[in-house]
Amino acid sequence: TGRLNSKAPNFQNQPADIRGMFIPRPGHVFVYGDWDALEMRLAAFISGDPELIKVFADYDAKRGPKPHIVNMAVIFGLPATKEAAEQNPGMYRAAKVFAYAVAYGAGDQTVFEQVREELPDMSWDAFQIAIGNYRRKYKVMFDYFKNCVKRGTQVGYLDSAILKRRVYFFERGYGDGNSPEASAMQNMPTQSGGADVVSLANRRIMKKVVAPMRKKLKKNEVLEQLAQVHDELLFEVPKRMAKKFAHGFETVAKECPAPGFESWYLPVEVKSADRWKPVQT
């Protein structure tokens, strides 16, 4: 999909307690930022699903609840309120599972198994009702993913949303929505689109923010990018420059990813800290 991966160690999937062991050199802080619900937003924009686009538009304009609360209400027939999410934490977490598992191309059986980790008592019949509710709400998105599998099978490849990087598929996938190849085809638009968004933003940040600020470094100071982990960028920055760098990071990262995509609003949350992530206790 164009996303980075690594091994020995697998730096892309370090748990939070391991990340919390990374600390900057004296006089520096870590500045890191990640995109808010990037895969879900891309699923909305790439598929053109008006229902999902409206969910994010209302949330961003502070007219509506968090998207996962909306999904919880749709899937389980609960009111779309913060109180309902707090009173039903398992259902709220399960709604997240639905959203991301579907975006990652998981089949029904896989989604069911993941949902059962949050709701152990859920039966297969109840799950079918729940995912049916989800599919009806976002019919345009589900139809788009289905057509991706059909098109990928027919021509043998799919192109990423922005950079048009071509990903080839060598097995027949259409007709079996639960096959690994079909899942990869369904997964490709959001994952590859995310890779496009982050890599393009990374280039802009290096050019517009990092390069000018490096000219103002003092002796023994560094301004370095340390990692790109999926939708997150990590920098080591002199403490005295952290606030200015974080502002520039957020401003540039939120810019339109490329001409023709001006309607895509992709917010980024940027933080600075003395550790990469809080140590879990």
Side-chain angles (χ1 to χ4, degrees):
T1 60
R3 281 191 159 189
L4 298 179
N5 62 10
S6 58
K7 61 183 179 180
N10 180 0
F11 195 70
Q12 303 299 111
N13 292 300
Q14 297 293 336
D17 49 350
I18 299 297
R19 291 189 185 190
M21 297 179 183
F22 289 85
I23 59 173
R25 69 194 72 199
H28 292 68
V29 295
F30 288 146
V31 178
Y32 51 89
D34 55 31
W35 276 254
D36 177 62
L38 183 59
E39 289 89 357
M40 279 186 67
R41 288 178 185 272
L42 289 176
F45 294 138
I46 293 172
S47 70
D49 190 304
E51 291 289 339
L52 191 51
I53 290 172
K54 184 177 185 302
V55 168
F56 278 107
D58 288 346
Y59 170 63
D60 293 333
K62 296 181 169 45
R63 295 191 302 263
K66 291 181 178 181
H68 292 306
I69 289 180
V70 175
N71 289 346
M72 179 195 70
V74 169
I75 293 166
F76 298 110
L78 298 173
T81 63
K82 183 178 179 180
E83 292 74 21
E86 292 171 347
Q87 293 165 2
N88 302 276
M91 290 184 176
Y92 178 71
R93 293 192 300 269
K96 288 187 175 184
V97 171
F98 272 94
Y100 288 108
V102 169
Y104 293 157
D108 283 11
Q109 185 62 41
T110 300
V111 179
F112 176 58
E113 291 169 1
Q114 294 180 8
V115 168
R116 290 254 301 180
E117 293 180 11
E118 305 297 341
L119 300 171
D121 295 333
M122 174 170 268
S123 67
W124 175 253
D125 289 343
F127 169 77
Q128 288 296 310
I129 294 172
I131 199 167
N133 293 338
Y134 192 57
R135 286 192 173 117
R136 282 189 292 274
K137 173 69 171 178
Y138 304 122
K139 183 180 184 301
V140 173
M141 179 183 71
F142 277 96
D143 286 347
Y144 174 82
F145 284 138
K146 185 177 180 180
N147 286 331
C148 282
V149 176
K150 183 176 181 179
R151 185 169 67 253
T153 301
Q154 290 173 340
V155 301
Y157 62 82
L158 293 171
D159 294 333
S160 68
I162 301 174
L163 295 176
K164 304 305 179 185
R165 290 177 293 101
R166 184 155 291 178
V167 178
Y168 288 91
F169 300 93
F170 301 104
E171 301 291 338
R172 304 296 291 178
Y174 186 57
D176 180 5
N178 293 315
S179 73
E181 198 74 3
S183 293
M185 293 176 193
Q186 182 174 316
N187 173 48
M188 191 271 180
T190 52
Q191 295 289 295
S192 195
D196 287 354
V197 168
V198 176
S199 61
L200 288 169
N202 204 350
R203 295 179 194 180
R204 296 195 305 271
I205 292 166
M206 296 300 292
K207 180 179 180 180
K208 296 182 179 181
V209 184
V210 174
M213 292 186 71
R214 275 181 174 161
K215 297 177 181 178
K216 301 178 181 180
L217 292 175
K218 297 180 179 179
K219 186 178 180 181
N220 298 325
E221 289 183 337
V222 300
L223 176 49
E224 300 287 352
Q225 181 176 5
L226 302 183
Q228 176 188 331
V229 181
H230 301 314
D231 305 335
E232 181 175 341
L233 304 178
L234 172 68
F235 295 85
E236 187 175 19
V237 182
K239 190 173 292 186
R240 67 181 181 87
M241 305 173 83
K243 187 174 181 180
K244 181 178 179 181
F245 180 82
H247 176 73
F249 180 164
E250 181 177 357
T251 301
V252 173
K254 287 164 60 176
E255 291 176 353
C256 171
F261 298 89
E262 288 79 9
S263 64
W264 289 18
Y265 178 60
L266 303 171
V268 182
E269 183 180 17
V270 179
K271 298 179 181 179
S272 62
D274 294 326
R275 292 181 182 271
W276 184 7
K277 295 283 185 180
V279 176
Q280 304 298 303
T281 58

